[in-house]
């Protein structure tokens, strides 16, 4: 990551507070889980929660303590094999698909590992003079941990939501949500030359760096996300059974996987339900944004509706035009509820509900250059066969919600909190 | 199972004692495991220990309590879906390959399930007058539980032995074992008409029933099992790299799976070690019987050595001829050590060390007829593409060691405690 | 093969006549095919007809001309790579699954290869003094060629019968066949000690050698094969949808492959048709023996009918008991029609209609020993995971129809002319 | 296709001449092939030459004769099943992977089919007044046929080049080619707003339509293609064994497929050879452009060389800037030789050597809209998981070489004549 020199303004105490807050948050997310829930990997894209707890800790150990402090003694020399994710530079590691077979170290031992590494990092934080490179690595470690906090929500939802007993993660609170699908508008965005990408103080990932000019043509973009109720009409209209809406790869996927609805939807006694983190299996709210669908499904819906998905450039420009002042106004309601919530007012918001599929492939910006060494493997090597998502979700840490942030997944993946809005040329 | 009327002689108290002893034993096997160890399924033939705990309990609930006691209230109506193994008659069940993704019910809840069902069965045991069919089902449930006790050892060894940390199941005690490969002899067995198969009092499975005549030709059989040291010579002589020793299917398997040694063998710093339940990874003892190999490997070794595997008929006849008086003399040393142990004396023994691959496919005996209903699925439907093993292993419950017992596995499977001896015509 | 010294009685001229007759027959089988039909391999077990033409020729070149005549000059040194089947001893060869991609050498060049090799073999035949080993190899080469003649029929039927245009191999002649399902009887065979296996003059394969004693119990065996009409009742009774009839492996196969009827059956406008070599797609004759089914289907039918398949020992013994005088009385009607034909009289016949699945796994007879060298790969290495078939079919060369002949296939294969009869203990 | 009204200027005779010329060319390409060569499909992306002959004919029959002439009688009603490629709108069709199993209709019958359809189209061409829609369909049919002419070269090279005998397609003529790797330069292209995409008279595909503005930053692009000799250095430097150069998907592909060099390269006695259409297996010329590599390999080379691939926008703009006058100056030398030929002069040329991988994913241009009906499946539905190639190859029909043409393949495909040049920001 080419980190800006933002850390100079953060004093010793602030580092310590922030470090502890973020590290504690990870444990808190896992708190409602049983030991057993921490172990499994029911599908390839899911990692066991225990692995997240260990891997984020290994990241601090490997890239800070081991790399920069010769006297540091590893907690366990075998843990690098267990907790390395995909850094070829760092050496051998367990196959991703076997993560769910590793019962030792157990949850308790992993938590001890966290304590051990945290204590050593704390010593480092207590030193007032830290090199810029250490501060950059600390920052990256925290950003990395926050990315895994979000993945933890995806993964634990998958684990619990595919259990035949459908256990809830947390109980559902009383809520009086509207079920009225909100009115739909399209906003005009004038074409022209814009500048997109990250610049300035604060953290960003390497893939969003390089503020650069792009030209777009006039377009319109929806002022809200597509809802469950609207998506339901697509299903009712035979959306999953008519090839004309689909990309060829998407059609193959629908047929091979026998896809008939978004992930977690289940028709029970004739009524569409969905599994929710709070309250488990519950009836769908037609007014809430649709979520847990693949890029293929978003594309097919858009084509069925006579529109298309916005490009990532259009999305970022729309954000600049519409809501310069609300760029970080995230959806607090969804955060509490751990699910996308219906909009009741007329505030236009592009950010913080669910990750929005764009029509853009994940590719480097002009002048992009991956960093040297292991951290160069962070983003650049994934720039093929994936699609960009923008905006962030209600489980995205707030520091990760910024208009230039580029998330990316293979087009068939659905376990993230994904959704979409439509765009069109006029 | 066509159970003999053996149970009439067992009084109420004996049933109760035996039931509790066997049910307790299952828990005891799992006692050294962590919660996390109970959940996973690292390969298809392994089941999670938690699943064994639940499945053996479900067997009593489904076939006795639910089937025969209309007032019985299920502990949890969803458990049949989770804990049914392969009984199509009984209804839907989780795919075998997904057993390892099921984190709920957790270990504690499964133990409560055991308590609940045991308490109800106990009520039944306390009644002095039980129908014969109930007694037969109780007997079958206990035999079934004992089969799963053995599987538990296979499965937990696989789970721990494939963990990159190689944790031990139990610590190794001090032992002064010989490492001298014992002398090898072949015993002459005269050809002729013999009777094999089970008859008489006591329990047997349906597949061994039907005492019937068979004719065999004169043959010789080894007076002990093939050892690690002998098998090592086969490896050193290029055993895994020369097709001439192998069945065509075996050769394909060796190449596709890149097999180079028995399961759990690992060369460390030039020395062959193996993972053991007691003491984890330790040097191989050349004098101990080789174990954890496939039928294909046993066949290839036999051919390399200019001999063959005995048929299951020959094995059972050899047992009759050699050791009528020691038919239940099992290897106590191996039982304590949880591994096959070298023989030091000159006692000939065919039973209780490791399961011995035979050259016989698993097929029905004359007059075989599968029972009606779900229990008819117990044995008969597996009579294709599997090979018979005889003799029992040091983790086989003693009630399961009898000369007529027919075990069976696909020829490529290695996670059981398998081994072999050679035979030949003269 | 351990060939008997039968050849001494065959004079030079007889060798020549027989050689030419058999070699010509192979070409004749291919005569109705187009060049294009000779090339393809639509499924793994099928080989391209062009490959059979070349492989049978290579067999004579490799094992006789090249091995025994130092001056012999290979037709093309690359052909061994193309036309070796599975002889690891002989060296590298094209993967079996890629045989259908090899367009060169073309049909014409392969026929030239046949001419070239035949001319060299002819020189050898003209010599009056041939060593016994050469005569044995000649005999084996001709037997081998005849085996491939039968495979040619299976393969060309598969190629034409899976073409969407369903072209016929030969036109259908007028026939007035009965469609009346013949009466069904079971014949009693007394139990006792019998001798089975090949001995005496004439050719046999190594796997049938070793006349040996076996003991069987009293049994009954059907006096004819199961018919299309009877099998149709099994289908109508939900045979393919009820697991109780099936071996577990068979049930998995039925579901994975979505099997609903024997191979080549196709319901057209509500009527069951089948693809036939003569006349292409035509209505099924209910009176004719059912064919093109797997061992799993034969097993399931037998179980549905309350019976079982005979063992191969029972089959051979039944043949001895019933029809010592008609052991070579093959079904001439079927040979003309290239399909199994209904029986009209009351003659009991076990041989020459379709290959009959038995309930026996393919395993070595007592004292079996594979020959040394490449020819030792002929039979022995396939003795796992296959089932024995007995009797021969209407496309089996007559020399290959003998009561001791052991054919074998994997239990799921259906492209051969397979059928079955039932047996039972009383 | 949104075809422009270009056809008004083509009189009756010109249509006829052009139609016959293009249709004849397709046959000419197949002329050196044997019947057997026409049938097979050795890998999924290859289609049998016979299928191309039939499919291009079916296209005229289905979309012109059948659709617009009610009296037209189909040559064979089953051919639509056999020769439809991927038009879901048109109905059932044979699975793409089974094309290579279809031996009937044979080559001769397919050529009769061509004659039959050509005769009917000729009647249509003789009419002076054709509707615009018919003319558009004729144009599309011819363009479509020319696309398949190029595919024919890819496919027949694959069929012959994977035959173990490595037969040549045509003999090699005498040539005195330089083997001196030409000097390498980078050309500066100034950043700014440009217009790309097709407009004006003449044919184009729907995916290149919509002349539109794009903004690019200053960049440099190589003045020639990367050569065999340069690529050889990448291999020698461990290019295929060091992950740092590769996209993650590319690295997985290299390892899973054990890729060690471009397709058709083969080291013989220590010297790199490659299979060529003319002359078969011959030594590589280091001065000729490297070809038959995947996008992953082009990407890895670029990264190894410290550069990157150009985007498709950059490529088209570079073409506009450098060579407005030579936009159709294709490589005549390569056309004769049927292989990419070394450049000897200093002429800069971007077009007509080999298809050049770009760094752009294949995605719709602004305002893109797929046509209605079956022809709407021509391009749009493939816009996922593929990368754009630009420029055309020496086997691309000249009408298909234009600077706006967008070719596209999955990033792992190598059977086309692919190559690449590098670009960089300064």
């Amino acid at each position: 990551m080419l980190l800006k020199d933002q850390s100079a303004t953060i004093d010793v105490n602030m580092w310590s507070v922030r470090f502890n807050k973020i590290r504690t948050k990870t444990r808190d997310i896992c708190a409602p889980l049983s030991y057993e829930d921490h172990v499994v990997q029911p599908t390839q894209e899911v990692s066991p929660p225990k692995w997240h707890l260990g891997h984020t800790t290994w990241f601090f150990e490997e890239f800070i303590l081991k790399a920069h402090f010769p006297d540091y003694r590893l907690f366990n020399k075998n843990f690098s094999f267990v907790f390395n994710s995909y850094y070829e530079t760092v050496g051998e590691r367990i196959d991703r698909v076997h993560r769910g077979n590793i019962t030792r170290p157990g949850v308790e031992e992993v938590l001890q590992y966290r304590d051990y590494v945290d204590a050593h990092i704390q010593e480092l934080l207590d030193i007032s003079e830290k090199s810029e490179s250490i501060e950059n690595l600390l920052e990256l470690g925290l950003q990395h941990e926050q990315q895994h906090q979000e993945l933890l929500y995806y993964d634990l939802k998958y684990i619990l939501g595919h259990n035949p007993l459908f256990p809830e993660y947390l109980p559902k609170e009383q809520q009086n949500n509207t079920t009225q699908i909100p009115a739909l508008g399209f906003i005009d965005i004038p074409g022209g030359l814009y500048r997109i990408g990250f610049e300035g103080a604060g953290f960003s990932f390497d893939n969003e760096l390089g503020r650069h000019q792009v030209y777009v043509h006039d377009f319109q973009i929806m002022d809200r996300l597509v809802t469950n109720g609207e998506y339901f009409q697509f299903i009712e209209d035979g959306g999953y059974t008519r090839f004309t809406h689909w990309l060829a790869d998407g059609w193959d996927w629908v047929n091979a996987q026998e896809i008939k609805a978004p992930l977690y939807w289940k028709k029970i006694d004739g009524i569409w339900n969905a599994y929710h983190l709070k309250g488990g299996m519950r009836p769908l709210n037609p007014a809430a944004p649709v979520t847990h669908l693949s890029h293929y499904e978003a594309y097919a819906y858009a084509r069925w509706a006579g529109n298309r998905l916005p490009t990532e450039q259009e999305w970022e420009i729309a954000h600049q035009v519409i809501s310069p002042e609300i760029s970080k106004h995230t959806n607090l309601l969804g955060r509490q509820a751990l699910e996308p919530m219906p909009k009741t007012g007329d505030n236009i918001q592009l950010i913080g509900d669910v990750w929005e599929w764009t029509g853009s492939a994940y590719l480097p910006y002009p002048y992009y250059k991956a960093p040297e060494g292991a951290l160069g493997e962070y983003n650049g090597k994934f720039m093929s066969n994936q699609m960009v998502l923008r905006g962030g979700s209600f489980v995205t840490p707030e520091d990760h919600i910024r208009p230039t942030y580029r998330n990316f997944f293979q087009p068939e993946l659905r376990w993230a909190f994904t959704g979409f809005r439509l765009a069109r040329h006029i």
Side-chain angles (χ1 to χ4, degrees), chain A:
Chain A
M1 309 303 103
L2 304 175
L3 299 177
K4 300 296 162 184
D5 187 6
Q6 82 293 356
S7 49
T9 58
I10 307 180
D11 67 22
V12 167
N13 189 48
M14 280 177 66
W15 268 113
S16 185
V17 168
R18 183 151 160 260
F19 180 83
N20 286 308
K21 186 177 160 201
I22 291 174
R23 294 284 286 168
T24 302
K25 166 75 173 171
T26 308
R27 288 191 187 214
D28 290 348
I29 294 170
C30 295
L33 302 179
S34 70
Y35 285 150
E36 293 90 336
D37 295 331
H38 280 79
V39 182
V40 299
Q41 180 179 30
T43 192
Q44 198 184 334
E45 61 265 26
V46 167
S47 290
K50 186 164 71 71
W51 185 87
H52 287 292
L53 290 169
H55 168 68
T56 49
T57 304
W58 169 85
F59 195 95
F60 284 105
E61 185 181 61
E62 177 71 29
F63 294 116
I64 298 181
L65 298 177
K66 182 177 162 197
H68 295 273
F69 297 87
D71 294 342
Y72 175 74
R73 201 166 144 198
L74 291 175
F75 181 75
N76 183 322
K77 71 181 164 53
N78 294 312
F79 278 17
S80 185
F81 183 80
V82 177
F83 290 127
N84 181 0
S85 52
Y86 55 69
Y87 295 90
E88 307 263 359
T89 315
V90 179
E92 294 280 308
R93 65 204 175 286
I94 197 158
D95 268 3
R96 176 165 187 168
V97 294
H98 292 141
R99 282 181 193 162
N101 300 331
I102 303 306
T103 62
R104 313 280 183 100
V107 175
E108 290 297 348
E109 191 174 358
V110 173
L111 293 178
Q112 287 161 19
Y113 179 39
R114 289 184 73 89
D115 289 340
Y116 178 86
V117 168
D118 285 356
H120 282 83
I121 293 284
Q122 189 61 51
E123 288 177 26
L124 173 63
L125 297 180
D126 293 341
I127 301 164
S128 42
E129 292 297 306
K130 285 178 286 288
S131 71
E132 188 183 321
S133 83
I134 293 288
E135 291 201 334
N136 279 348
L137 286 168
L138 281 170
E139 181 63 37
L140 183 61
L142 293 176
Q143 296 282 345
H144 173 257
E145 180 120 7
Q146 290 181 303
Q147 289 185 302
H148 280 275
Q149 288 169 359
E150 178 156 8
L151 289 169
L152 265 169
Y153 281 113
Y154 303 166
D155 292 353
L156 66 86
K157 182 166 183 181
Y158 196 99
I159 291 165
L160 300 177
H162 284 77
N163 186 296
L165 310 182
F166 297 114
E168 62 186 25
Y169 172 65
L170 289 173
K172 174 98 179 88
E173 295 106 4
Q174 200 65 23
Q175 263 173 344
N176 284 318
N177 287 330
T178 177
T179 58
Q180 184 83 34
I181 300 182
L184 167 63
F186 276 82
I187 304 162
D188 290 322
I189 310 288
L193 270 174
Y194 290 87
R195 297 180 75 81
I196 67 163
F198 187 87
E199 73 181 351
F203 177 85
S204 80
F205 284 106
D206 59 354
N207 61 6
E208 59 190 297
L209 274 179
R211 189 79 168 174
H212 63 283
Q213 285 199 93
V214 294
Y215 182 84
V216 295
H217 296 75
D218 295 348
F219 69 99
Q220 293 184 317
I221 193 164
M222 266 175 68
D223 62 0
R224 61 161 174 77
L225 294 164
V226 172
T227 62
N228 286 324
E230 287 161 335
Y231 197 82
F232 171 74
Q233 291 169 31
F234 167 70
I235 299 179
E236 289 291 293
D237 193 38
Y240 283 94
T241 60
R242 288 166 53 198
F243 65 86
T244 44
H245 313 315
W246 295 82
L247 286 165
D249 288 348
W251 186 240
D252 289 347
W253 171 81
V254 158
N255 287 290
Q257 306 294 321
E258 301 180 24
I259 304 290
K260 295 176 169 43
L263 191 65
Y264 299 120
W265 287 36
K266 193 177 167 73
K267 209 177 226 169
I268 300 175
D269 301 333
I271 293 165
W272 280 113
N273 283 251
Y275 176 78
H276 296 79
L277 284 174
K278 289 195 173 174
M281 196 60 80
R282 289 193 278 113
L284 273 180
N285 181 347
V290 64
T291 186
H292 290 302
L293 27 66
S294 67
H295 178 269
Y296 294 133
E297 289 163 294
Y299 175 98
Y301 178 93
R303 182 129 185 218
W304 170 79
N307 294 311
R308 61 176 175 81
L309 301 175
T311 66
E312 66 166 322
Q313 288 79 15
E314 288 172 339
W315 191 96
E316 189 169 331
I317 288 162
H319 188 274
Q320 290 175 21
V321 171
I322 300 168
S323 50
E325 80 292 353
I326 56 161
S327 69
K328 290 233 176 184
H329 174 168
T330 56
N331 186 346
L332 296 179
L333 206 53
R335 265 157 208 281
Q336 291 172 323
L338 288 179
E339 62 186 85
M341 299 301 283
K343 289 292 167 300
T344 47
D346 57 355
N347 61 317
I348 299 160
Q349 181 187 305
L350 276 86
I351 219 160
D353 265 319
V354 291
W355 285 101
E356 303 184 21
W357 285 111
T358 71
S360 297
Y362 178 46
L363 290 169
Y365 279 172
Y367 300 94
Y368 173 75
K369 195 165 175 340
E372 295 297 311
L375 294 176
E377 299 185 52
Y378 207 99
N379 276 309
K381 76 177 181 183
F382 299 114
M383 290 179 176
S384 66
N385 303 316
Q386 308 211 37
M387 301 301 285
V388 173
L389 302 99
R390 291 298 197 104
S393 81
F394 53 87
V395 295
T396 310
E398 302 230 355
D399 303 11
H400 277 256
I401 296 188
R402 58 182 171 269
T404 61
Y405 196 102
R406 305 175 77 199
N407 201 352
F408 50 91
F409 288 122
Q410 278 84 5
E412 73 275 14
L413 291 186
R414 318 202 291 175
W415 100 121
F417 292 96
T418 55
F420 64 105
R421 72 180 70 228
L422 303 178
R424 61 189 180 205
H425 289 298
I426 323 150

